[in-house]
Amino acid sequence: MNDEVVFRTDCPSRAIIDQIANKWSILILAVLLDEPRRFNDIKRRLEGITQRVLTQNLRRLERSGMITRRVLSGRTLGVEYALTPLGRSLQEPLGQFYEWTVRNMDVIQSRQRAYDASSMSG
């Protein structure tokens, strides 16, 4: 990896990393792993996300080719989102990242508490 290219402000990788590493993007991709889902189903599964933020993130993921959007016709109109092969290709690295997070969250939280305590006393 060439550090000069990766860290330049005009390198397209920075925008892609920003898109994928976004908290909501990661969670949306995880929700869509098992099956396509409707907008409201995604929203219900992501506690704390607003309709506006979900819409923005879904549009960015669709624009980047990570998900597809399909309008459902019938008695009740709706929209369904699904992973594309490109989006699905993130399953392994994001899965590893999630496992690392779960494996280390107690240590990280403990260190955060220790840091906060030392910052308050000093």
Side-chain angles (χ1 to χ4, degrees), residues 3 9 13 16 18-19 27 29 33 35 41 43 48 62 69 71 76 86 88 90 94 114 119:
D3 289 344
T9 58
S13 68
I16 295 168
D18 184 49
Q19 166 68 52
L27 295 174
L29 293 169
L33 273 177
E35 62 186 340
D41 189 18
K43 188 171 181 315
E62 183 181 10
R69 178 183 184 271
V71 177
T76 53
L86 182 62
R88 192 160 294 288
L90 285 168
L94 290 180
S119 294

Side-chain angles (χ1 to χ4, degrees), residues 10 12-13 23 25 28 44 47 79 82 84 89 100 102 104 107 109 117-118 120:
D10 62 346
S13 68
K23 161 182 76 173
S25 292
I28 289 167
R44 272 192 300 277
E47 191 173 299
V79 178
T84 63
S89 72
W100 178 89
V102 170
N104 291 287
V107 171
Q109 289 175 328
S118 70
M120 294 176 119

Side-chain angles (χ1 to χ4, degrees), residues 30-93:
V31 164
L32 293 174
L33 273 177
D34 295 332
E35 62 186 340
R37 297 194 186 275
R38 288 177 171 241
F39 182 92
N40 285 328
D41 189 18
I42 297 169
K43 188 171 181 315
R44 272 192 300 277
R45 292 170 180 275
L46 297 177
E47 191 173 299
I49 195 168
T50 65
Q51 184 165 331
R52 180 177 161 268
V53 170
L54 178 56
T55 299
Q56 289 172 338
N57 278 276
L58 287 168
R59 285 182 183 154
R60 280 198 298 269
L61 288 168
E62 183 181 10
R63 180 175 179 257
S64 298
M66 304 290 172
I67 64 172
T68 58
R69 178 183 184 271
R70 184 171 68 114
V71 177
L72 303 171
S73 58
R75 288 174 49 166
T76 53
L77 294 176
V79 178
E80 181 180 79
Y81 296 90
L83 291 178
T84 63
L86 182 62
R88 192 160 294 288
S89 72
L90 285 168
Q91 181 174 359
E92 184 178 341

